[in-house]
Amino acid sequence: MCDYSLEMYASRPARESEKYVTTRFPSGSIGLASPGDCSTAVCVQYDTRLALEGISSDLQTRLGVQPSEEVVFARLEHGAYRDGVKFANGKEISLQLLGSGVSASLVKVAPIAAEASAPSEPSLEPAE
């Protein structure tokens, strides 16, 4: 959800309708930040839809995408970095490969998981 900020950076959750930019943090990892505050990582929930603008021509050619695309923020199951995006054509890449300077805005925030909204089960731990 926010691999690049877990221990090294201040972070905050993404907000609908805000604009972000992919940013290279001092550690060298790339993540999302507000254009005016590149010292705070912005965390996005997996399965959230993002609108990307400014995708490099190299990536456009390699992935078969346009300069602007709607993507889904995804947890990758391979590689050192788990935060990535999935394009409509099925291609997935790490934020690291997306590079810095790509604009992103939230299109639709992912719904809260069903388990989070279900009533909690009583504790089965013994009382003291």
Side-chain angles (χ1 to χ4, degrees):
M1 182 177 331
C2 204
D3 282 350
Y4 49 85
S5 69
L6 289 178
E7 294 181 19
M8 300 179 75
Y9 306 104
S11 65
R12 69 171 181 82
R15 298 181 191 115
E16 211 160 339
S17 302
E18 277 190 329
K19 298 219 183 264
Y20 306 109
V21 64
T22 54
T23 301
R24 184 171 303 279
F25 290 95
S27 67
S29 63
I30 293 176
L32 295 173
S34 293
D37 181 10
C38 292
S39 64
T40 301
V42 174
C43 299
V44 177
Q45 290 180 0
Y46 295 126
D47 297 325
T48 296
R49 294 195 163 288
L50 300 171
L52 299 181
E53 295 179 22
I55 299 169
S56 73
S57 57
D58 176 53
L59 275 180
Q60 291 174 48
T61 302
R62 286 180 29 210
L63 300 173
V65 298
Q66 300 297 311
S68 299
E69 290 273 339
E70 189 170 304
V71 299
V72 174
F73 194 73
R75 183 184 197 291
L76 304 178
E77 298 301 323
H78 56 280
Y81 296 94
R82 300 304 176 138
D83 290 345
V85 294
K86 182 175 183 175
F87 291 87
N89 66 7
K91 303 274 175 88
E92 290 184 338
I93 63 166
S94 166
L95 286 184
Q96 309 313 301
L97 295 177
L98 195 57
S100 58
V102 176
S103 298
S105 56
L106 270 66
V107 174
K108 184 176 181 187
V109 176
I112 304 294
E115 300 88 74
S117 61
S120 60
E121 294 287 324
S123 174
L124 299 177
E125 294 182 28
E128 293 190 34

